[in-house]
């Protein structure tokens, strides 16, 4: 794991941030190798999934205020499962490998506890995304299940996906 060379501030997403966030998300989702969003998802579909439906959405800003990443937090389930949250993280291509995802995940865990969540679950961590799997494990998440062929990778075909989990509050 590398660490960020410059300070990163994480704050709630503002409406004015969307024109910068959308291209970062679009680039990631079009690659078809880490997220289950259809590569041809529309801006409106992604806005709804990333901003409107979650309980909160955040951006990570570099030293100059530029947006270098974003994440959302939401209940993983409704009702009796709503105490477990789910998050999604995307880092701008130019900021990958600088520790931004790690900082956002650490922030999201603190945010989750503040919001009353007791645990965090990632439902579909693509097994071929070794960088993400290693990072989440480094941050205390365990692979609690593997779903054979559950992700249709754009270049590798059907690959396994992990369910990863971490208890935040005992």
């Amino acid at each position: 794991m590398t660490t960020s060379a410059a300070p990163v501030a994480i704050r709630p997403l503002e409406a004015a941030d969307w024109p910068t966030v959308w291209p970062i998300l679009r680039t990631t989702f079009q690659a078809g190798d880490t997220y289950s969003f259809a590569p041809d998802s529309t801006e409106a579909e992604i806005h709804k999934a990333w901003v409107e439906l979650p309980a909160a959405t955040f951006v990570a800003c570099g030293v100059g205020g530029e947006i270098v990443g974003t994440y959302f937090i939401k209940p993983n389930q409704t009702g009796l499962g709503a105490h477990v949250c789910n998050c999604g993280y995307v880092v701008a291509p130019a900021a990958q490998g600088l520790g931004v995802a790690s900082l956002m995940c650490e922030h999201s865990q603190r945010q989750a506890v503040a919001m009353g969540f007791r645990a965090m679950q990632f439902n579909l961590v693509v097994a071929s995304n070794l960088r993400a799997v290693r990072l989440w494990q480094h941050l205390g998440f365990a692979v609690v299940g593997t779903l054979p062929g559950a992700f249709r990778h754009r270049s590798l075909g059907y690959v396994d996906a992990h369910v990863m989990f971490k208890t935040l509050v005992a």
Side-chain angles (χ1 to χ4, degrees), residues 11-23 43 47 51 59 65 67:
R11 62 168 173 77
L13 176 122
E14 299 170 0
D17 297 328
W18 182 250
T20 302
V21 169
W22 163 237
E43 182 176 357
H47 189 273
V51 177
V59 292
I67 294 174

Side-chain angles (χ1 to χ4, degrees), residues 33 67 80 101 122 127 129 169:
D33 59 359
I67 294 174
L80 300 179
F122 303 146
N129 187 355
V169 178

Side-chain angles (χ1 to χ4, degrees), residues 71-153:
Y71 83 86
F72 69 77
I73 186 168
K74 65 181 182 180
N76 194 53
Q77 299 291 329
T78 59
L80 300 179
H83 61 285
V84 177
C85 69
N86 172 258
C87 294
Y89 313 86
V90 172
V91 177
Q96 291 178 2
L98 299 177
V100 176
S102 181
L103 291 171
M104 289 193 300
C105 186
E106 291 167 343
H107 182 273
S108 71
Q109 291 176 63
R110 291 188 301 274
Q111 186 65 35
V113 171
M115 294 171 74
F117 292 110
R118 300 180 57 80
M120 188 175 288
Q121 179 173 318
F122 303 146
N123 299 318
L124 198 77
V125 180
V126 179
S128 61
N129 187 355
L130 298 177
R131 190 180 201 175
V133 173
R134 282 193 305 264
L135 175 59
W136 304 147
Q137 288 175 324
H138 175 75
L139 293 174
F141 289 81
V143 173
V144 295
T146 299
L147 310 169
F151 183 79
R152 193 177 68 225
H153 193 284

